[in-house]
Amino acid sequence: MGTGGEVLIPASGLECAHRVPVPPSRPFLETFRANLKETFFPDDPLRQWRHETAASRRFLLALQYVLPILQWAPSYTFQLFKSDLVAGITIASLAIPQGISYAKLANLPAILGLYSSFVPPLVYAMMGSSKDLAVGTVAVPSLLLASMLSREVSAIQQPALYLHLAFTAAFFAGVLQMALGLLRLGFLVDFLSHATIVGFMGGAATVVCLQQLKGILGLQHFTTATDLVSVMESIFTQTHQWRWESVVLGCGFLFFLLLTRFFSKRRPEFFWVSAAAPLTSVVLGSLLVYLTHAENHGVQVIGNLKKGLNPPSLTSLVLSPPYMMVALKAGIVTGIIALAEGIAVGRSFAMFKNYHVDGNKEMIAFGMMNIAGSMTSCYLTTGPFSRTAVNYNAGCKTAVSNIVMSTAVMITLLFLTPLFHYTPLVVLASIIISAMLGLIDYDAAIHLWHVDKIDFCVCIGAFFGVVFGSVEIGLVIAVAISILRVLLFVARPRTTVLGNIPNSNIYRRMDQFPVAQNTPGMFILQIDGPIYFANASYLRERIARWIDEEEDRLKVKEEDSSLQYVILDMGAVGSIDTSGISMLEELKKNVDRRGLQLVLANPGSELMKKLDKSKILETIGQEWIFLTVGEAVGACNFLLHTCKPGSVLDEACTSAPDNV
Amino acid sequence: MGTGGEVLIPASGLECAHRVPVPPSRPFLETFRANLKETFFPDDPLRQWRHETAASRRFLLALQYVLPILQWAPSYTFQLFKSDLVAGITIASLAIPQGISYAKLANLPAILGLYSSFVPPLVYAMMGSSKDLAVGTVAVPSLLLASMLSREVSAIQQPALYLHLAFTAAFFAGVLQMALGLLRLGFLVDFLSHATIVGFMGGAATVVCLQQLKGILGLQHFTTATDLVSVMESIFTQTHQWRWESVVLGCGFLFFLLLTRFFSKRRPEFFWVSAAAPLTSVVLGSLLVYLTHAENHGVQVIGNLKKGLNPPSLTSLVLSPPYMMVALKAGIVTGIIALAEGIAVGRSFAMFKNYHVDGNKEMIAFGMMNIAGSMTSCYLTTGPFSRTAVNYNAGCKTAVSNIVMSTAVMITLLFLTPLFHYTPLVVLASIIISAMLGLIDYDAAIHLWHVDKIDFCVCIGAFFGVVFGSVEIGLVIAVAISILRVLLFVARPRTTVLGNIPNSNIYRRMDQFPVAQNTPGMFILQIDGPIYFANASYLRERIARWIDEEEDRLKVKEEDSSLQYVILDMGAVGSIDTSGISMLEELKKNVDRRGLQLVLANPGSELMKKLDKSKILETIGQEWIFLTVGEAVGACNFLLHTCKPGSVLDEACTSAPDNV
């Protein structure tokens, strides 16, 4: 096999042009290791590690890899702390009311919202690799948790069991997240496409808002179902139960919150206005109730919050059937969603500041965070978008802002819980609604419609699935569509005819370049994408049909030049497996039977290697493989205009065998 | 937007070379229909239909599409019939003993083997599009059926129910196969990769052979488990039960069968020797037993076979829980496997004779065949490899050979069944073993090892899964590995650095072409394969790392020329979705932040369309998009050696705006 690259012009006058060499075969283990690395360690986490030699330094590096805080803590300055302090306090003022609201959403005692904003942030501050992520509970998984657990256990009749199941779910979610990270399976999260998430999140937000109508209208009884129909039903069947006091209160605060949000959007420097608004409305609401004693007039309040820090909950994990399975299922589902949101949020903010977030590392951090949380009376936490955005706007510099937040929450837990006694639930409802409205991303959906109709359908499918079915149904629909789409992508690679760009040696897709022209006597086809078992038989039949149609076309046009050569541009065939190779073999047979000559242009290294190993290279003939379509066409033209195919070219090129 | 293609040379002296036009946007429905067609109707089944106008002709075409026999029957000649007659009789002589053996393998009454070779072939002859496929029962699904049904119902204690479940399973299998065909989901079958099937079939064949030891050794009691360990156990725990008579008989016939097989392999013109061998050994065996009355000396015989044609079994379909679920599960699993084998066999023999087999049409045919069969006392049938190969070697011309076979079977059913009374089971066992040994494809496995190590692992995984676990476990492992492999393929497209091939304008992968050289000041990267949600975030981070490493490399080498341009060769990016587009947007931001210029080369039509629609085309700048890497490098070099990036090129190209 030649080293390739050099130009040779044999006596025949035909330019064999550049040869495509067969790459030297590397030992199996080497290639295997390389592939494994590329697949599971594309970020090459041990880069510096390898450069280090001293054992002590290596140990430190390893420690720093597990606990990123050790990387940046030494260089932490007072300057940084000042910004982090501001950011921390800001998100704390958001975290406390949100935490309580979401806990209520999950049918859990309000205090859990505070607990969950105390321990997990500390864990993340040590292990997380994002500088902007603010840790806390999230609405959608909270609702999901409620809807999944309530099906087996009633939060009202068996509050203790329900609580323990929530801890257990968080535990399993943590284990799952950690496992995904350790097994480097982060890429599985990517299979939830952006379109899917937009639709799912929008639908979930809508559902959450609908749930809040209970609080706004001050209803005592409410459906446990989450779909639009049954919610509307249960609202309009008990119109006589509506309490105007709570309606007024709720709408008032909602208006206030949306106003501040709108204001802060217009004037980003006043981000703190919308950030502080929730706490403000809690304070105002509580005062109002305290002064007017509205709690006796149908305005429900939080009531007593137990003072003190998180009690340990390791012993209350439910690790035995039958209830374990419920927790496991809930843990897996909520864990995946929380993970997807957390990773996405972390990545997008890292992008603004141009630093890298290691997906797998993040998963391990989230996992540890939830495992630790599940043992200290916290339920599922992740990096919520709203809170992280506030954190970012508040100018946080490092994860210290999380530490500040959890300190603030700790102080609240120790001394300030009584102040929340009179906080009206309706205020929490309006806080949730205003937060959720931000999650319904119309623009994204419209953008999808403009750019990619199928993605739009995926998005809408997920949305309606959630709104009219249930959150799980929506999720299942979303994932199913995503996976099916991948399979379709894989099963149907595009094949396009190439034509010559006038006065150039360039060949491009004819459907794309109107100016491109057919080359008489040849049919040039490009295969877009890798060839393997999932699409080999499709490609075999599709290419056969292309050739059929081309021959029909020529017959109809009665062109003098009949088809002689089929040139395949393999430039886009990045990888190929054995099914793909045998597909090529069959194609070669098929083309021979038609009395045509198969020519390959620009095959990749993997393709060449496998063609060589599978001995098909001989069948096709190395002399029929060219570096570019242009050179292939050149050689074929030479033959067309001198003699019948095969003979001369073989001579010409085989006359210099060590170049073949 | 320009029409593209034309060359322009602005005053600045810079050649902007060819422009990449944005394709005119087609109406949504049109593109949608096109995509739908390409995805589900790649074979364009209605091609002639569209050319026809007369309603009558159209109706005929439609009828012919459903019943291919109407296409070829009119032109059927006596010449063809002679060859079909020979082939038909040959496969009949194979079908009868094999049918009985496989029925025994499925714990079903022997007569079912004959029933199943009577009705289904007739149905297939009318609806099938393959000329060589010989219809009949197959070993692996038979065994699978037995192992799945036996778990719920004992064939000995509840023979009637077991029988009815077998019919029901065949019915559901048929419905599934037909549904797949009608929904054009044939491509789903392709997701069982070749490697998987080789491993699975090998394992299954081994298991089937192991099961036959019962017959060979003349054992009365045998484990219902199929894994190697428990089979060996149950054999060597009852060594005292071994009957030397049956061992001698079995080994003798096995040797005879293998000898004939070997002989026919060496001398293909004597194909009929191995084809007739099974029937011969049945006759010999029966005579031997009849004369020596060996049935009284521990040699088990078939016993009475009921005379007469298939009794109807529509009423005995079990369509109510609990047993329906068992049949449903068994039907789905066996149906898929039978389908995969049938399609594969049909396709490969169609390839030899260079005619086309429509996968989806085949599925409908198989489906109808099994539905009809389930109502006439047949169990699951498909196109077995062995029988089809014999049919092909016997020189069959059309599906008439199937009709001949089923006629021969019919005659047997009507008059000859008593002859099988004395047929010893041990002969059937040796027939199965000799057939199975052909299915264990060492060469294929070795070939896999040489060509693609991962495929080899897949294959071995499936094999061991079947042999040491169970057939289902093996199947699950196989499918799981296949799907995971697809996901990995999708999630990890290759990205490779391009270099310049000396004294040419060609840029190729540097890992493949040792001679390729770096271009100072530029970094050229090729993305192999489509970009979408499943790999967008991977690509974003991988490309970022490529640039990092390149910058490090330059630092180390202290080259005077620092990095200025990042050129992406998008030639291989066949399709892209919104996630992919936003990935490019982020990449652009990232590259800008590094103070570099992003350049795209050779983007496809879909990419251009979406870049344009998503307004990212402006961000990147149409003047930074080139037709080939060579032209991109040319332009960048021009700028590198005249002035700082951006300015002139913009002028130069935007000076002729309607070409941009």
Side-chain angles (χ1 to χ4, degrees), chain A residues 28 38-39 42 453 455 492 512 538 542 545 578, chain B residues 28 38-39 42 453 455 492 538 542 545 578 603:
Chain A
F28 166 57
E38 198 49 53
T39 309
K453 302 289 188 287
D455 270 351
R492 297 285 182 261
Q512 180 181 10
Y538 159 76
R542 190 68 184 84
R545 200 182 119 216
T578 42
Chain B
F28 167 57
E38 198 49 52
T39 308
K453 301 288 187 289
D455 271 350
R492 296 285 182 262
Y538 160 76
R542 191 68 184 86
R545 201 182 119 218
T578 43

PDB file of all heavy atoms in Angstrom, chain A residues 28 38-39 42 453 455 492 512 538 542 545 578, chain B residues 28 38-39 42 453 455 492 538 542 545 578 603:
ATOM      1  N   PHE A  28      -5.309  -3.954  18.100  1.00  0.00           N
ATOM      2  CA  PHE A  28      -6.719  -3.868  18.492  1.00  0.00           C
ATOM      3  C   PHE A  28      -6.887  -3.048  19.764  1.00  0.00           C
ATOM      4  O   PHE A  28      -7.645  -2.082  19.809  1.00  0.00           O
ATOM      5  CB  PHE A  28      -7.266  -5.283  18.689  1.00  0.00           C
ATOM      6  CG  PHE A  28      -8.588  -5.307  19.409  1.00  0.00           C
ATOM      7  CD1 PHE A  28      -9.676  -4.599  18.898  1.00  0.00           C
ATOM      8  CD2 PHE A  28      -8.746  -6.003  20.587  1.00  0.00           C
ATOM      9  CE1 PHE A  28     -10.898  -4.610  19.551  1.00  0.00           C
ATOM     10  CE2 PHE A  28      -9.952  -6.014  21.245  1.00  0.00           C
ATOM     11  CZ  PHE A  28     -11.026  -5.322  20.734  1.00  0.00           C
ATOM     12  N   GLU A  38     -12.811   8.192  23.289  1.00  0.00           N
ATOM     13  CA  GLU A  38     -13.573   9.178  22.523  1.00  0.00           C
ATOM     14  C   GLU A  38     -15.056   9.100  22.873  1.00  0.00           C
ATOM     15  O   GLU A  38     -15.766  10.102  22.847  1.00  0.00           O
ATOM     16  CB  GLU A  38     -13.369   8.912  21.019  1.00  0.00           C
ATOM     17  CG  GLU A  38     -13.739  10.085  20.141  1.00  0.00           C
ATOM     18  CD  GLU A  38     -13.119  11.393  20.617  1.00  0.00           C
ATOM     19  OE1 GLU A  38     -11.907  11.431  20.810  1.00  0.00           O
ATOM     20  OE2 GLU A  38     -13.880  12.353  20.823  1.00  0.00           O
ATOM     21  N   THR A  39     -15.486   7.875  23.230  1.00  0.00           N
ATOM     22  CA  THR A  39     -16.910   7.699  23.491  1.00  0.00           C
ATOM     23  C   THR A  39     -17.288   8.154  24.887  1.00  0.00           C
ATOM     24  O   THR A  39     -18.234   8.903  25.075  1.00  0.00           O
ATOM     25  CB  THR A  39     -17.285   6.214  23.319  1.00  0.00           C
ATOM     26  OG1 THR A  39     -16.789   5.777  22.057  1.00  0.00           O
ATOM     27  CG2 THR A  39     -18.785   6.038  23.373  1.00  0.00           C
ATOM     28  N   PRO A  42     -14.804  12.046  26.194  1.00  0.00           N
ATOM     29  CA  PRO A  42     -14.471  13.025  25.149  1.00  0.00           C
ATOM     30  C   PRO A  42     -13.853  14.288  25.741  1.00  0.00           C
ATOM     31  O   PRO A  42     -13.107  14.981  25.064  1.00  0.00           O
ATOM     32  CB  PRO A  42     -15.821  13.318  24.491  1.00  0.00           C
ATOM     33  CG  PRO A  42     -16.831  12.983  25.534  1.00  0.00           C
ATOM     34  CD  PRO A  42     -16.246  11.844  26.320  1.00  0.00           C
ATOM     35  N   LYS A 453     -40.014  22.181  11.251  1.00  0.00           N
ATOM     36  CA  LYS A 453     -41.410  21.843  11.526  1.00  0.00           C
ATOM     37  C   LYS A 453     -41.515  20.585  12.383  1.00  0.00           C
ATOM     38  O   LYS A 453     -42.322  20.516  13.298  1.00  0.00           O
ATOM     39  CB  LYS A 453     -42.144  21.635  10.188  1.00  0.00           C
ATOM     40  CG  LYS A 453     -42.103  22.838   9.277  1.00  0.00           C
ATOM     41  CD  LYS A 453     -42.966  23.977   9.792  1.00  0.00           C
ATOM     42  CE  LYS A 453     -43.081  25.109   8.776  1.00  0.00           C
ATOM     43  NZ  LYS A 453     -41.845  25.904   8.656  1.00  0.00           N
ATOM     44  N   ASP A 455     -39.437  19.393  14.616  1.00  0.00           N
ATOM     45  CA  ASP A 455     -39.149  19.736  16.010  1.00  0.00           C
ATOM     46  C   ASP A 455     -40.357  20.404  16.642  1.00  0.00           C
ATOM     47  O   ASP A 455     -40.692  20.147  17.801  1.00  0.00           O
ATOM     48  CB  ASP A 455     -37.937  20.674  16.085  1.00  0.00           C
ATOM     49  CG  ASP A 455     -36.649  19.890  16.202  1.00  0.00           C
ATOM     50  OD1 ASP A 455     -36.739  18.664  16.400  1.00  0.00           O
ATOM     51  OD2 ASP A 455     -35.572  20.491  16.080  1.00  0.00           O
ATOM     52  N   ARG A 492     -32.396   6.560   7.907  1.00  0.00           N
ATOM     53  CA  ARG A 492     -32.622   7.167   6.592  1.00  0.00           C
ATOM     54  C   ARG A 492     -31.589   8.243   6.279  1.00  0.00           C
ATOM     55  O   ARG A 492     -31.906   9.440   6.255  1.00  0.00           O
ATOM     56  CB  ARG A 492     -34.031   7.783   6.543  1.00  0.00           C
ATOM     57  CG  ARG A 492     -35.153   6.764   6.702  1.00  0.00           C
ATOM     58  CD  ARG A 492     -35.335   5.963   5.444  1.00  0.00           C
ATOM     59  NE  ARG A 492     -36.443   5.017   5.557  1.00  0.00           N
ATOM     60  CZ  ARG A 492     -36.293   3.728   5.840  1.00  0.00           C
ATOM     61  NH1 ARG A 492     -35.097   3.242   6.090  1.00  0.00           N
ATOM     62  NH2 ARG A 492     -37.340   2.933   5.885  1.00  0.00           N
ATOM     63  N   GLN A 512     -29.158  21.359  -4.521  1.00  0.00           N
ATOM     64  CA  GLN A 512     -28.782  22.592  -3.830  1.00  0.00           C
ATOM     65  C   GLN A 512     -28.254  23.639  -4.798  1.00  0.00           C
ATOM     66  O   GLN A 512     -28.525  24.822  -4.647  1.00  0.00           O
ATOM     67  CB  GLN A 512     -27.712  22.273  -2.773  1.00  0.00           C
ATOM     68  CG  GLN A 512     -27.223  23.458  -1.985  1.00  0.00           C
ATOM     69  CD  GLN A 512     -26.166  23.061  -0.988  1.00  0.00           C
ATOM     70  OE1 GLN A 512     -25.676  21.937  -1.012  1.00  0.00           O
ATOM     71  NE2 GLN A 512     -25.804  23.984  -0.111  1.00  0.00           N
ATOM     72  N   TYR A 538     -31.525  -0.228   3.658  1.00  0.00           N
ATOM     73  CA  TYR A 538     -32.207   0.911   3.032  1.00  0.00           C
ATOM     74  C   TYR A 538     -31.324   1.495   1.938  1.00  0.00           C
ATOM     75  O   TYR A 538     -31.757   1.683   0.802  1.00  0.00           O
ATOM     76  CB  TYR A 538     -32.523   1.985   4.073  1.00  0.00           C
ATOM     77  CG  TYR A 538     -32.755   3.353   3.481  1.00  0.00           C
ATOM     78  CD1 TYR A 538     -33.944   3.653   2.833  1.00  0.00           C
ATOM     79  CD2 TYR A 538     -31.783   4.348   3.552  1.00  0.00           C
ATOM     80  CE1 TYR A 538     -34.156   4.910   2.284  1.00  0.00           C
ATOM     81  CE2 TYR A 538     -31.979   5.596   3.006  1.00  0.00           C
ATOM     82  CZ  TYR A 538     -33.171   5.881   2.370  1.00  0.00           C
ATOM     83  OH  TYR A 538     -33.371   7.109   1.821  1.00  0.00           O
ATOM     84  N   ARG A 542     -32.056   1.911  -1.920  1.00  0.00           N
ATOM     85  CA  ARG A 542     -32.229   3.287  -2.391  1.00  0.00           C
ATOM     86  C   ARG A 542     -31.255   3.571  -3.532  1.00  0.00           C
ATOM     87  O   ARG A 542     -31.640   4.126  -4.570  1.00  0.00           O
ATOM     88  CB  ARG A 542     -31.978   4.262  -1.240  1.00  0.00           C
ATOM     89  CG  ARG A 542     -32.361   5.692  -1.552  1.00  0.00           C
ATOM     90  CD  ARG A 542     -33.869   5.816  -1.681  1.00  0.00           C
ATOM     91  NE  ARG A 542     -34.280   7.163  -2.074  1.00  0.00           N
ATOM     92  CZ  ARG A 542     -34.312   7.581  -3.336  1.00  0.00           C
ATOM     93  NH1 ARG A 542     -33.945   6.762  -4.300  1.00  0.00           N
ATOM     94  NH2 ARG A 542     -34.705   8.804  -3.638  1.00  0.00           N
ATOM     95  N   ARG A 545     -32.288   2.010  -6.626  1.00  0.00           N
ATOM     96  CA  ARG A 545     -33.385   2.740  -7.265  1.00  0.00           C
ATOM     97  C   ARG A 545     -32.856   3.992  -7.957  1.00  0.00           C
ATOM     98  O   ARG A 545     -33.273   4.307  -9.071  1.00  0.00           O
ATOM     99  CB  ARG A 545     -34.440   3.128  -6.224  1.00  0.00           C
ATOM    100  CG  ARG A 545     -35.784   3.435  -6.861  1.00  0.00           C
ATOM    101  CD  ARG A 545     -36.807   3.852  -5.823  1.00  0.00           C
ATOM    102  NE  ARG A 545     -37.275   5.194  -6.097  1.00  0.00           N
ATOM    103  CZ  ARG A 545     -37.580   6.084  -5.159  1.00  0.00           C
ATOM    104  NH1 ARG A 545     -37.404   5.772  -3.892  1.00  0.00           N
ATOM    105  NH2 ARG A 545     -38.007   7.278  -5.490  1.00  0.00           N
ATOM    106  N   THR A 578     -19.842  -3.800   9.824  1.00  0.00           N
ATOM    107  CA  THR A 578     -19.774  -4.934   8.904  1.00  0.00           C
ATOM    108  C   THR A 578     -20.994  -4.963   7.983  1.00  0.00           C
ATOM    109  O   THR A 578     -20.866  -5.249   6.805  1.00  0.00           O
ATOM    110  CB  THR A 578     -19.713  -6.250   9.689  1.00  0.00           C
ATOM    111  OG1 THR A 578     -20.634  -6.163  10.767  1.00  0.00           O
ATOM    112  CG2 THR A 578     -18.325  -6.472  10.230  1.00  0.00           C
TER     113      THR A 578
ATOM    114  N   PHE B  28     -44.246  24.313   3.275  1.00  0.00           N
ATOM    115  CA  PHE B  28     -44.057  23.313   4.329  1.00  0.00           C
ATOM    116  C   PHE B  28     -44.599  21.951   3.898  1.00  0.00           C
ATOM    117  O   PHE B  28     -43.910  20.938   3.914  1.00  0.00           O
ATOM    118  CB  PHE B  28     -44.762  23.779   5.604  1.00  0.00           C
ATOM    119  CG  PHE B  28     -44.892  22.694   6.636  1.00  0.00           C
ATOM    120  CD1 PHE B  28     -43.780  22.027   7.112  1.00  0.00           C
ATOM    121  CD2 PHE B  28     -46.143  22.330   7.120  1.00  0.00           C
ATOM    122  CE1 PHE B  28     -43.902  21.028   8.056  1.00  0.00           C
ATOM    123  CE2 PHE B  28     -46.264  21.325   8.053  1.00  0.00           C
ATOM    124  CZ  PHE B  28     -45.142  20.684   8.517  1.00  0.00           C
ATOM    125  N   GLU B  38     -39.781   9.873   1.620  1.00  0.00           N
ATOM    126  CA  GLU B  38     -38.420   9.354   1.686  1.00  0.00           C
ATOM    127  C   GLU B  38     -38.258   8.433   2.883  1.00  0.00           C
ATOM    128  O   GLU B  38     -37.494   7.475   2.847  1.00  0.00           O
ATOM    129  CB  GLU B  38     -37.427  10.518   1.781  1.00  0.00           C
ATOM    130  CG  GLU B  38     -35.998  10.143   1.432  1.00  0.00           C
ATOM    131  CD  GLU B  38     -35.911   9.370   0.124  1.00  0.00           C
ATOM    132  OE1 GLU B  38     -36.466   9.852  -0.874  1.00  0.00           O
ATOM    133  OE2 GLU B  38     -35.314   8.288   0.134  1.00  0.00           O
ATOM    134  N   THR B  39     -39.030   8.726   3.938  1.00  0.00           N
ATOM    135  CA  THR B  39     -38.850   7.955   5.167  1.00  0.00           C
ATOM    136  C   THR B  39     -39.608   6.638   5.106  1.00  0.00           C
ATOM    137  O   THR B  39     -39.057   5.583   5.402  1.00  0.00           O
ATOM    138  CB  THR B  39     -39.352   8.777   6.363  1.00  0.00           C
ATOM    139  OG1 THR B  39     -38.721  10.061   6.314  1.00  0.00           O
ATOM    140  CG2 THR B  39     -39.001   8.083   7.669  1.00  0.00           C
ATOM    141  N   PRO B  42     -39.439   4.739   0.702  1.00  0.00           N
ATOM    142  CA  PRO B  42     -38.209   4.953  -0.080  1.00  0.00           C
ATOM    143  C   PRO B  42     -38.215   4.133  -1.362  1.00  0.00           C
ATOM    144  O   PRO B  42     -37.580   4.497  -2.342  1.00  0.00           O
ATOM    145  CB  PRO B  42     -37.103   4.489   0.871  1.00  0.00           C
ATOM    146  CG  PRO B  42     -37.779   3.556   1.807  1.00  0.00           C
ATOM    147  CD  PRO B  42     -39.170   4.061   1.974  1.00  0.00           C
ATOM    148  N   LYS B 453     -14.174  -5.215  15.601  1.00  0.00           N
ATOM    149  CA  LYS B 453     -14.099  -5.873  16.907  1.00  0.00           C
ATOM    150  C   LYS B 453     -15.390  -5.670  17.698  1.00  0.00           C
ATOM    151  O   LYS B 453     -15.892  -6.602  18.330  1.00  0.00           O
ATOM    152  CB  LYS B 453     -12.913  -5.311  17.688  1.00  0.00           C
ATOM    153  CG  LYS B 453     -11.565  -5.480  16.996  1.00  0.00           C
ATOM    154  CD  LYS B 453     -11.100  -6.923  17.006  1.00  0.00           C
ATOM    155  CE  LYS B 453      -9.692  -7.072  16.472  1.00  0.00           C
ATOM    156  NZ  LYS B 453      -9.569  -6.851  15.025  1.00  0.00           N
ATOM    157  N   ASP B 455     -18.471  -5.236  16.626  1.00  0.00           N
ATOM    158  CA  ASP B 455     -19.491  -6.143  16.105  1.00  0.00           C
ATOM    159  C   ASP B 455     -19.255  -7.548  16.634  1.00  0.00           C
ATOM    160  O   ASP B 455     -20.198  -8.261  16.992  1.00  0.00           O
ATOM    161  CB  ASP B 455     -19.471  -6.158  14.571  1.00  0.00           C
ATOM    162  CG  ASP B 455     -20.386  -5.084  13.999  1.00  0.00           C
ATOM    163  OD1 ASP B 455     -21.139  -4.490  14.792  1.00  0.00           O
ATOM    164  OD2 ASP B 455     -20.319  -4.841  12.788  1.00  0.00           O
ATOM    165  N   ARG B 492     -21.944  10.212  19.063  1.00  0.00           N
ATOM    166  CA  ARG B 492     -20.506  10.505  18.949  1.00  0.00           C
ATOM    167  C   ARG B 492     -20.038  10.567  17.502  1.00  0.00           C
ATOM    168  O   ARG B 492     -19.303   9.695  17.035  1.00  0.00           O
ATOM    169  CB  ARG B 492     -19.701   9.429  19.688  1.00  0.00           C
ATOM    170  CG  ARG B 492     -19.952   9.387  21.190  1.00  0.00           C
ATOM    171  CD  ARG B 492     -19.276  10.541  21.876  1.00  0.00           C
ATOM    172  NE  ARG B 492     -19.458  10.487  23.314  1.00  0.00           N
ATOM    173  CZ  ARG B 492     -20.384  11.176  23.978  1.00  0.00           C
ATOM    174  NH1 ARG B 492     -21.232  11.944  23.308  1.00  0.00           N
ATOM    175  NH2 ARG B 492     -20.472  11.100  25.287  1.00  0.00           N
ATOM    176  N   TYR B 538     -22.295  17.382  22.743  1.00  0.00           N
ATOM    177  CA  TYR B 538     -20.991  16.717  22.625  1.00  0.00           C
ATOM    178  C   TYR B 538     -20.116  17.474  21.641  1.00  0.00           C
ATOM    179  O   TYR B 538     -18.970  17.816  21.934  1.00  0.00           O
ATOM    180  CB  TYR B 538     -21.169  15.269  22.172  1.00  0.00           C
ATOM    181  CG  TYR B 538     -19.921  14.659  21.566  1.00  0.00           C
ATOM    182  CD1 TYR B 538     -18.867  14.262  22.376  1.00  0.00           C
ATOM    183  CD2 TYR B 538     -19.794  14.508  20.187  1.00  0.00           C
ATOM    184  CE1 TYR B 538     -17.726  13.713  21.830  1.00  0.00           C
ATOM    185  CE2 TYR B 538     -18.659  13.963  19.636  1.00  0.00           C
ATOM    186  CZ  TYR B 538     -17.628  13.566  20.452  1.00  0.00           C
ATOM    187  OH  TYR B 538     -16.502  13.029  19.896  1.00  0.00           O
ATOM    188  N   ARG B 542     -16.579  19.147  22.192  1.00  0.00           N
ATOM    189  CA  ARG B 542     -15.445  18.507  21.524  1.00  0.00           C
ATOM    190  C   ARG B 542     -14.717  19.504  20.651  1.00  0.00           C
ATOM    191  O   ARG B 542     -13.488  19.584  20.661  1.00  0.00           O
ATOM    192  CB  ARG B 542     -15.947  17.331  20.679  1.00  0.00           C
ATOM    193  CG  ARG B 542     -14.839  16.428  20.152  1.00  0.00           C
ATOM    194  CD  ARG B 542     -14.181  15.674  21.287  1.00  0.00           C
ATOM    195  NE  ARG B 542     -13.046  14.880  20.824  1.00  0.00           N
ATOM    196  CZ  ARG B 542     -11.819  15.369  20.696  1.00  0.00           C
ATOM    197  NH1 ARG B 542     -11.586  16.631  20.957  1.00  0.00           N
ATOM    198  NH2 ARG B 542     -10.823  14.588  20.304  1.00  0.00           N
ATOM    199  N   ARG B 545     -12.694  21.794  22.620  1.00  0.00           N
ATOM    200  CA  ARG B 545     -11.445  21.175  23.098  1.00  0.00           C
ATOM    201  C   ARG B 545     -10.429  21.105  21.961  1.00  0.00           C
ATOM    202  O   ARG B 545      -9.250  21.361  22.168  1.00  0.00           O
ATOM    203  CB  ARG B 545     -11.741  19.770  23.633  1.00  0.00           C
ATOM    204  CG  ARG B 545     -10.655  19.275  24.581  1.00  0.00           C
ATOM    205  CD  ARG B 545     -10.944  17.873  25.065  1.00  0.00           C
ATOM    206  NE  ARG B 545      -9.871  16.970  24.655  1.00  0.00           N
ATOM    207  CZ  ARG B 545     -10.068  15.717  24.263  1.00  0.00           C
ATOM    208  NH1 ARG B 545     -11.298  15.240  24.183  1.00  0.00           N
ATOM    209  NH2 ARG B 545      -9.054  14.960  23.918  1.00  0.00           N
ATOM    210  N   THR B 578     -32.836  21.863  15.240  1.00  0.00           N
ATOM    211  CA  THR B 578     -32.686  23.152  15.928  1.00  0.00           C
ATOM    212  C   THR B 578     -31.563  23.099  16.967  1.00  0.00           C
ATOM    213  O   THR B 578     -30.801  24.050  17.109  1.00  0.00           O
ATOM    214  CB  THR B 578     -34.004  23.517  16.634  1.00  0.00           C
ATOM    215  OG1 THR B 578     -34.500  22.342  17.262  1.00  0.00           O
ATOM    216  CG2 THR B 578     -35.008  24.033  15.637  1.00  0.00           C
ATOM    217  N   PRO B 603     -21.369  23.845   3.144  1.00  0.00           N
ATOM    218  CA  PRO B 603     -22.564  23.461   3.884  1.00  0.00           C
ATOM    219  C   PRO B 603     -23.639  22.934   2.949  1.00  0.00           C
ATOM    220  O   PRO B 603     -23.755  23.387   1.810  1.00  0.00           O
ATOM    221  CB  PRO B 603     -23.012  24.779   4.520  1.00  0.00           C
ATOM    222  CG  PRO B 603     -22.522  25.825   3.591  1.00  0.00           C
ATOM    223  CD  PRO B 603     -21.246  25.289   2.993  1.00  0.00           C
TER     224      PRO B 603
END
